[in-house]
Amino acid sequence: MDISIIIINWNSRDLLIDCIKSVYATTHDIVFEIRVVDNGSSDGSIKALRDAFPDVIIIENRHNMGFAKACNQALRLIKGKYVVLLNTDTILTEGAIKTALELMEKEIKIGICGGQLLNSDGTKQNSIANIPSLATELLNKSFLRGLLPKKYLGKEHGISSPVEVESIIGAFMVVRKQAIDETGLIDESYFFFFEETDWCLRMKKMGWKVFYHPDVRVYHLQGQTVKKVNIRARIEYWRSRYIFFKKNHSRATLIALTIGLMMKLLINLSLNLVLGAATAFTNKKAVEKSKIYLNILYWHLSGLPEGWGLKGE
């Protein structure tokens, strides 16, 4: 077995089917297995999957266990030398997996390889991530990429060859099994968001490299699942960010982050409330943002309860 492909699904039936179709259509001369972990879907995902792809190995969970825990269920069972983690909202292009594998076979210290994520119209998404710091979380990321382009790599920089990076966006990841064995599985403290960043950081600490390959091209329909539960997803993002800083930074840095984020939250909430009021609340975007900011603020005032994020689904 060359690779094990792992896909975590939660009520994304049509996206899941299209994703797997793209795997079979673009992956040739490679022996692979596909393992889908379903997190308690209620949209007929399992039936559709069995009807369309009877060879796919399925793990059925009764409820949503989150991305990290579901991934680890499959990671404990894999047979491949490499693992490919795919989001359901991705579509592979021809030879994407093979191109990543060729680089990893050549550079044996690469533990994780990501590719260029694309919007549906073929334009580039940011596919490289920096390890979260006060700068990345409190300042505008586009500003950082423009100010310090060598440190903060992005889609604007026209990268034409594989390059070592701090972290990658986890919609598509090829991971070496040996690196997993040495580093450990994904940290299950994260329900959703930041788990791949934490994994990249841990692997780098173990001496493994994280690479971005611009010729590995993957369409990414960006969060089609979490858009259905936007407020819960945003709260989950904030919760995971706090977990990452508590684990990987000092207490003083965590306090500074919290204060800074709360200031930004209050400013954004005020601006959107004013904008909404000025337009007699006909500005739907301002109203929607105000709802999100109010819910995040209320979540903080309520003591950051876990059940208010995606765990509540």
Side-chain angles (χ1 to χ4, degrees):
M1 188 69 62
D2 294 322
I3 58 171
S4 297
I5 299 170
I6 297 175
I7 305 171
I8 310 304
N9 179 65
W10 179 57
N11 290 324
S12 299
R13 180 190 60 207
D14 295 339
L15 291 171
L16 174 65
I17 297 303
D18 288 342
C19 176
I20 296 176
K21 283 180 180 178
S22 78
V23 173
Y24 283 109
T26 64
T27 308
H28 313 292
D29 303 321
I30 296 173
V31 180
F32 64 87
E33 62 175 1
I34 300 177
R35 294 178 180 267
V36 172
V37 184
D38 185 79
N39 269 337
S41 295
S42 57
D43 66 345
S45 288
I46 296 297
K47 183 181 185 305
L49 182 58
R50 286 187 172 134
D51 290 344
F53 306 105
D55 292 335
V56 169
I57 303 166
I58 305 173
I59 298 175
E60 294 184 63
N61 292 325
R62 293 184 178 181
H63 60 276
N64 190 352
M65 299 178 66
F67 184 85
K69 187 173 288 188
C71 245
N72 287 344
Q73 286 180 284
L75 286 172
R76 293 186 180 97
L77 303 173
I78 60 171
K79 300 176 181 179
K81 179 181 178 182
Y82 295 96
V83 180
V84 178
L85 301 187
L86 277 181
N87 281 12
T88 51
D89 58 359
T90 56
I91 300 292
L92 299 182
T93 64
E94 184 64 37
I97 291 177
K98 186 175 182 179
T99 301
L101 290 183
E102 287 173 349
L103 174 65
M104 297 181 78
E105 285 288 283
K106 181 180 177 181
E107 301 287 345
I108 62 172
K109 288 306 293 180
I110 297 177
I112 296 179
C113 181
Q116 177 59 59
L117 303 176
L118 304 170
N119 295 308
S120 57
D121 61 0
T123 55
K124 293 181 180 179
Q125 296 176 12
N126 279 311
S127 309
I128 301 169
N130 286 88
I131 298 302
S133 64
L134 289 178
T136 65
E137 302 313 301
L138 298 180
L139 300 177
N140 182 278
K141 291 182 174 63
S142 295
F143 168 76
L144 290 174
R145 291 194 296 269
L147 182 66
L148 299 169
K150 291 185 178 180
K151 177 173 176 57
Y152 299 100
L153 299 175
K155 62 184 180 181
E156 309 93 337
H157 300 141
I159 301 170
S160 59
S161 59
V163 61
E164 186 174 2
V165 296
E166 292 183 11
S167 178
I168 58 165
I169 305 301
F172 170 90
M173 304 173 69
V174 182
V175 190
R176 193 183 301 270
K177 178 64 163 58
Q178 182 184 349
I180 298 173
D181 293 339
E182 294 183 10
T183 304
L185 299 177
I186 303 172
D187 187 342
E188 296 181 8
S189 301
Y190 303 94
F191 189 81
F192 198 65
F193 300 117
F194 283 85
E195 65 283 320
E196 80 274 28
T197 310
D198 183 272
W199 214 21
C200 286
L201 178 59
R202 287 166 53 208
M203 287 201 178
K204 290 176 76 70
K205 288 180 177 179
M206 292 296 294
W208 293 98
K209 296 179 180 180
V210 178
F211 260 68
Y212 158 81
H213 197 321
D215 295 333
V216 176
R217 301 170 69 81
V218 178
Y219 287 96
H220 180 217
L221 306 180
Q222 277 198 312
Q224 293 298 308
T225 301
V226 296
K227 283 180 181 178
K228 301 173 186 177
V229 284
N230 196 20
I231 291 175
R232 290 182 182 273
R234 292 293 291 272
I235 289 174
E236 197 63 52
Y237 182 89
W238 279 65
R239 189 183 79 86
S240 293
R241 178 162 50 184
Y242 286 143
I243 290 172
F244 183 91
F245 271 76
K246 183 177 181 180
K247 177 181 177 181
N248 296 295
H249 291 284
S250 67
R251 179 172 175 79
T253 301
L254 176 60
I255 292 172
L257 173 78
T258 305
I259 293 172
L261 288 177
M262 290 304 296
M263 291 176 62
K264 285 184 64 176
L265 177 63
L266 292 172
I267 291 171
N268 288 331
L269 174 59
S270 299
L271 291 174
N272 279 276
L273 286 174
V274 170
L275 180 59
T279 57
F281 296 101
T282 58
N283 187 319
K284 294 182 179 180
K285 188 174 181 180
V287 171
E288 182 62 28
K289 285 187 175 181
S290 296
K291 288 180 181 179
I292 292 172
Y293 294 140
L294 281 168
N295 274 272
I296 293 173
L297 178 60
Y298 190 40
W299 175 67
H300 279 84
L301 295 175
S302 301
L304 314 183
E306 288 191 0
W308 288 23
L310 293 176
K311 283 188 175 181
E313 285 296 313

